[in-house]
């Protein structure tokens, strides 16, 4: 078969790197940039290239406007060769919006920083190789998901306050007011305690920009929710798991990433995409048991549930009925398992607590790394021993990573029992491993 050349990171083609010999202002002969300062420069350049245009649009700025990037390394390896952190486009004074953010993983090799921004193949590859002090084991599978999910009407998200309680004041708008799409809702009132709209991994941004950080939560169904302007925020560190409805902070006018605010509230935002930075219009989406719609102008709109329609500030509290569509029951195996050359690997998940048979739309997510993925045949093995083909070999597919979600009609299987992901290497010269996989019933 054909063989690839170069390292995995080179083949991915999206690593941003700058040699340590880059000189600061001052001309030839000046000292090289210190490694941490150089890291901030490389990440900042990557942000401008990948997300600069989106940030200007989302902030309501001209295409030529300058943006400042705040780069915050949050975890380091013992030898300072690896780091994980957050990067943010700071919001100009007077602009009422939520920040555009990106997580990053970076590795220093010799005189070069290799940087992967969230959602890129480089981010997935570096996240897999990073030591556990830099990327937590629980983060490796979600960080590897570089494919953008398709937004759905039933988001599986609740409103950001206690279930069965009501808040009276809100308004649908774009991230910077009239900007499109309208992916934001300002929420006021109630008890003021802001809670996670769904379980997920929580991240802190602009931690050096004020006492209280900006918070985002990366959810298992491909959505990311943002919560700006909070105070008294949770003390959990970035990357911590939070439960559905877990306390995140209190409504306020805090501006850790810049901008402006008018009255205590949370600027709640809805995003999707592998990088968590694709704004999703709330129009037609089910959130908290209500379907949301825009008004004739920003900060208006209404919510419907059955025959009930409530307009902004019309009459009464909007009750949070929870997560809308049933997100299903989730089982995962995140233990690495080697796939030998011309061999086979089987990773198991034991399912319990599900009555009856498996669904006709059983969701199977696969995170498999291999130096020639076209060699692989992948099957889901049910408790009965029946095999369900997920992927066949393709000798011309020389990619490195499989991040795929398949739907299987497994209704003939009893749900409870041992399910297996069987990965078979059908050709010579390459090997890999199962990084993680999951089932959603």
């Amino acid at each position: 078969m054909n063989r690839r050349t170069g390292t995995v990171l080179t083949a991915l083609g999206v690593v941003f790197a700058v040699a340590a010999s880059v000189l600061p202002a001052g001309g030839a002969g000046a000292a090289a940039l210190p490694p941490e300062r150089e890291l901030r420069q490389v990440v900042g350049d990557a942000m401008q290239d990948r997300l600069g245009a989106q940030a200007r649009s989302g902030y309501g700025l001209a295409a030529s406007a300058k943006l400042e990037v705040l780069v915050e390394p949050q975890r380091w390896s013992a030898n300072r060769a690896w780091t994980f952190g957050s990067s943010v486009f700071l919001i100009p004074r007077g602009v009422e919006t939520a920040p555009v953010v990106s997580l990053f993983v970076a590795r220093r090799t010799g005189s070069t920083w290799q940087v992967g921004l969230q959602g890129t193949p480089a981010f997935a590859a570096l996240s897999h190789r990073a030591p556990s002090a830099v990327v937590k084991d629980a983060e490796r599978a979600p960080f590897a998901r570089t494919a953008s999910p398709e937004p759905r009407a039933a988001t599986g998200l609740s409103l950001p306050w206690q279930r069965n309680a009501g808040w009276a004041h809100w308004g649908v708008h774009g991230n910077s007011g009239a900007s499109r799409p309208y992916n934001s809702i300002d929420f006021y009132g109630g008890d003021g305690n802001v809670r996670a709209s769904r379980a997920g991994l929580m991240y802190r941004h602009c931690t050096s920009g004020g006492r209280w950080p900006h918070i985002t939560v990366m959810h298992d169904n491909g959505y990311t929710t943002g919560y700006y302007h909070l105070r008294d925020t949770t003390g959990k560190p970035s990357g911590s798991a939070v439960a559905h409805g877990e306390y995140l902070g209190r409504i306020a006018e805090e501006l850790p990433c810049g901008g402006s605010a008018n009255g205590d509230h949370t600027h709640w935002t809805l995003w999707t995409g592998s990088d968590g930075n694709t704004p999703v219009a709330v129009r037609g989406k089910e959130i908290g048991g209500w379907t949301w719609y825009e008004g004739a102008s920003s900060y208006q709109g209404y919510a419907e549930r059955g025959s009930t329609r409530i307009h902004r500030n019309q009459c009464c509290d909007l009750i949070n009925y929870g997560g809308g569509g049933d997100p299903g029951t989730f089982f995962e195996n995140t233990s690495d398992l080697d796939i030998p050359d011309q061999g086979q690997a089987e990773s198991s998940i034991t399912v319990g607590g599900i009555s009856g048979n498996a669904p006709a739309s059983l969701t199977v997510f696969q995170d498999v790394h291999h130096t020639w993925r076209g060699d692989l045949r992948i099957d889901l093995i049910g408790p009965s021993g029946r095999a369900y083909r997920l992927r066949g070999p393709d000798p011309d597919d020389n990619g490195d990573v499989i991040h795929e979600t398949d739907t299987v009609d497994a209704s003939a299987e009893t749900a409870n029992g041992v399910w297996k992901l069987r990965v078979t290497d059908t050709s010579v010269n390459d090997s890999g491993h199962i990084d993680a996989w999951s089932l959603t019933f």
Side-chain angles (χ1 to χ4, degrees):
M1 68 166 59
N2 294 328
R3 302 295 299 170
R4 293 166 301 165
T5 59
T7 66
V8 172
L9 290 173
T10 301
L12 289 169
V14 292
V15 173
F16 297 92
V18 170
S21 60
V22 172
L23 300 179
L33 292 174
E36 190 167 328
R37 182 180 168 192
E38 181 195 338
L39 169 70
R40 287 182 164 84
Q41 177 180 313
V42 179
V43 176
D45 289 346
M47 285 285 287
Q48 298 285 359
D49 289 342
R50 180 172 170 80
L51 296 170
Q54 179 184 316
R56 290 179 183 88
S57 175
Y59 292 1
L61 302 176
S64 59
K66 293 184 178 180
L67 287 172
E68 182 181 353
V69 181
L70 174 65
V71 178
E72 297 182 306
Q74 295 178 355
R75 307 175 200 149
W76 290 89
S77 61
N79 63 359
R80 307 286 287 185
W82 287 88
T83 186
F84 161 86
S86 166
S87 48
V88 182
F89 284 111
L90 295 178
I91 306 167
R93 184 187 301 273
V95 176
E96 187 168 349
T97 186
V100 172
V101 306
S102 180
L103 304 176
F104 69 86
V105 178
R107 179 186 185 184
R108 187 172 177 82
T109 304
S111 60
T112 302
W113 278 110
Q114 298 167 322
V115 173
L117 292 184
Q118 183 181 355
T120 65
F123 182 78
L126 288 166
S127 296
H128 171 68
R129 291 167 176 78
S132 57
V134 174
V135 175
K136 301 176 183 179
D137 290 342
E139 294 174 317
R140 296 187 195 276
F143 282 6
R145 295 169 188 167
T146 56
S148 297
E150 183 69 24
R152 293 164 288 180
T155 63
L157 300 170
S158 73
L159 295 169
W161 59 83
Q162 186 175 352
R163 188 169 181 169
N164 297 323
W167 285 23
H169 305 294
W170 45 270
V172 177
H173 59 97
N175 201 38
S176 63
S179 63
R180 292 288 180 173
Y182 279 15
N183 72 317
S184 308
I185 310 176
D186 282 352
F187 290 113
Y188 304 75
D191 64 1
N193 291 329
V194 176
R195 300 176 181 274
S197 291
R198 183 182 171 97
L201 296 175
M202 182 273 297
Y203 292 92
R204 304 163 69 90
H205 312 274
C206 300
T207 57
S208 57
R211 186 177 178 187
W212 311 111
H214 170 52
I215 285 179
T216 60
V217 179
M218 182 190 304
H219 307 290
D220 61 343
N221 61 353
Y223 286 103
T224 293
T225 50
Y227 311 79
Y228 198 38
H229 302 315
L230 302 186
R231 63 174 174 86
D232 300 336
T233 54
T234 173
K236 285 187 171 182
S238 274
S240 297
V242 294
H244 185 176
E246 184 170 337
Y247 174 88
L248 299 178
R250 285 189 57 79
I251 57 173
E253 295 181 289
E254 298 296 326
L255 302 170
C257 305
S260 67
N262 182 18
D264 290 350
H265 69 288
T266 184
H267 183 132
W268 185 92
T269 45
L270 181 62
W271 313 84
T272 189
S274 56
D275 56 4
N277 267 308
T278 302
V280 178
V282 300
R283 181 184 62 248
K285 297 294 186 295
E286 184 180 311
I287 303 165
W290 298 85
T291 302
W292 290 81
Y293 296 94
E294 300 174 6
S297 60
S298 56
Y299 300 100
Q300 300 298 316
Y302 61 92
E304 283 187 342
R305 179 178 171 85
S307 60
T308 301
R309 175 182 292 186
I310 297 179
H311 287 264
R312 175 183 180 265
N313 297 339
Q314 178 188 21
C315 67
C316 43
D317 285 354
L318 192 72
I319 303 300
N320 178 20
Y321 291 102
D326 182 4
T329 304
F330 181 77
F331 299 86
E332 185 176 43
N333 185 336
T334 60
S335 298
D336 284 7
L337 182 63
D338 288 338
I339 307 165
D341 187 21
Q342 290 191 291
Q344 189 176 89
E346 287 189 348
S347 178
S348 299
I349 290 175
T350 300
V351 173
I354 307 293
S355 60
N357 284 6
S361 56
L362 177 65
T363 300
V364 188
F365 172 73
Q366 309 125 64
D367 178 4
V368 179
H369 297 242
H370 193 271
T371 51
W372 195 285
R373 68 183 184 186
D375 288 355
L376 300 182
R377 181 174 65 243
I378 303 180
D379 298 283
L380 174 69
I381 311 300
S384 70
R386 178 180 173 181
Y388 301 83
R389 179 60 45 83
L390 303 177
R391 179 186 180 93
D394 180 358
D396 295 326
D397 185 352
N398 65 352
D400 299 284
V401 182
I402 297 169
H403 298 136
E404 294 181 359
T405 300
D406 293 292
T407 300
V408 173
D409 182 357
S411 56
E413 298 279 344
T414 301
N416 292 337
V418 178
W419 297 75
K420 298 178 181 179
L421 188 72
R422 177 184 293 164
V423 181
T424 305
D425 187 337
T426 64
S427 191
V428 297
N429 295 330
D430 293 271
S431 60
H433 69 279
I434 301 172
D435 195 54
W437 71 288
S438 66
L439 295 169
T440 304
F441 288 77

